[in-house]
Amino acid sequence: TSEARCRSMVQIHQPCVVGDNLWLWRADHWLSDQYLVYNHENFCSSGLHVARPAHHVTMYGLFVEHTLSDMTLWQGEDGVTYFYQSELPYDAMDEAAGQTSRVAPFKACGYLVDQAVQRHEAVGVGVYAYFRDHDVTVPAAIKVPDHDGVRIQNALTKYLNGGPKTFVKGKCLLQCEKRYGRIQCIIQKGSRCVGSNTDADKDKPHFASA
């Protein structure tokens, strides 16, 4: 069968749009650990793209998972998100793997607000890391411009799991050693980093606002 590929799952180009309970998920695994996707197959860049003309867009319960560029890209003014969940892709490639496979490595974040945006608010933003295949470092879970009108409240990161991986003999079960991957800070506001590195404690969530 052929891959399913797209640039963005949902694009918004008009103002005053409300989204309620959107789950935008790149299919990077099937029903069990026996059927996994590797090497950036089923390519999708972003789950949600709110374009510049789309002012006053509001999201209630937005879930964007496993895409291969910035999970959510927000360029419109006066956007608001209430509750956001984003899990980074299991098969994300680091620099070495990208060179070997001739595929661009993963260099993205969970929630990106364009640097030109003056007003944006997001409340309850969670970004999680489970890098199954490669030792990927994400500089920041959330990236926003350093403007007074841009506010991120109650954001969190959590290290869920990480490779190297092994399969349990005779079972469709994957076990990981929890050594691969990290998110270096929760929020990057302009050039300022806010919040802890997930390496500080892989068993607990880390919280920040900015």
Side-chain angles (χ1 to χ4, degrees):
T1 58
S2 61
E3 294 180 47
R5 300 172 68 91
C6 68
R7 180 180 298 173
S8 298
M9 297 183 207
V10 174
Q11 294 184 349
I12 300 175
H13 293 272
Q14 299 297 323
C16 302
V17 173
V18 175
D20 185 8
N21 193 26
L22 274 68
W23 186 26
L24 309 177
W25 176 66
R26 168 181 164 257
D28 62 352
H29 62 85
W30 291 11
L31 295 177
S32 74
D33 290 338
Q34 190 177 21
Y35 304 102
L36 302 176
V37 172
Y38 295 95
N39 302 325
H40 294 191
E41 296 171 341
N42 291 347
F43 186 87
C44 176
S45 291
S46 297
L48 176 65
H49 176 200
V50 180
R52 296 189 192 282
H55 303 320
H56 298 284
V57 171
T58 301
M59 290 286 151
Y60 297 99
L62 175 61
F63 307 80
V64 181
E65 299 190 309
H66 308 161
T67 65
L68 295 167
S69 186
D70 298 307
M71 308 279 156
T72 291
L73 170 58
W74 208 299
Q75 296 177 307
E77 290 287 354
D78 299 296
V80 182
T81 297
Y82 298 107
F83 184 74
Y84 179 79
Q85 174 182 300
S86 181
E87 186 178 55
L88 303 173
Y90 305 141
D91 61 330
M93 289 190 181
D94 58 11
E95 291 281 355
Q99 289 178 3
T100 301
S101 302
R102 297 183 179 179
V103 174
F106 182 76
K107 293 185 176 181
C109 68
Y111 193 93
L112 176 66
V113 178
D114 188 270
Q115 289 297 307
V117 171
Q118 298 292 317
R119 297 174 303 280
H120 186 89
E121 182 175 7
V123 180
V125 180
V127 179
Y128 318 125
Y130 172 12
F131 293 122
R132 180 193 64 208
D133 300 334
H134 304 286
D135 193 11
V136 175
T137 296
V138 174
I142 302 157
K143 293 184 178 181
V144 300
D146 192 5
H147 299 146
D148 291 340
V150 176
R151 297 185 300 275
I152 305 295
Q153 300 180 51
N154 298 328
L156 69 94
T157 56
K158 178 66 174 71
Y159 182 93
L160 298 180
N161 206 343
K165 63 186 180 300
T166 55
F167 283 94
V168 178
K169 188 176 181 179
K171 297 181 180 180
C172 298
L173 181 65
L174 185 71
Q175 290 185 341
C176 290
E177 298 179 23
K178 292 190 174 182
R179 289 195 282 118
Y180 286 175
R182 67 208 44 82
I183 302 172
Q184 291 183 312
C185 76
I186 301 171
I187 305 166
Q188 181 178 326
K189 192 166 186 180
S191 60
R192 178 167 53 98
C193 291
V194 180
S196 303
N197 189 318
T198 53
D199 279 348
D201 191 334
K202 291 184 176 181
D203 295 324
K204 296 180 179 180
H206 302 266
F207 296 91
S209 298

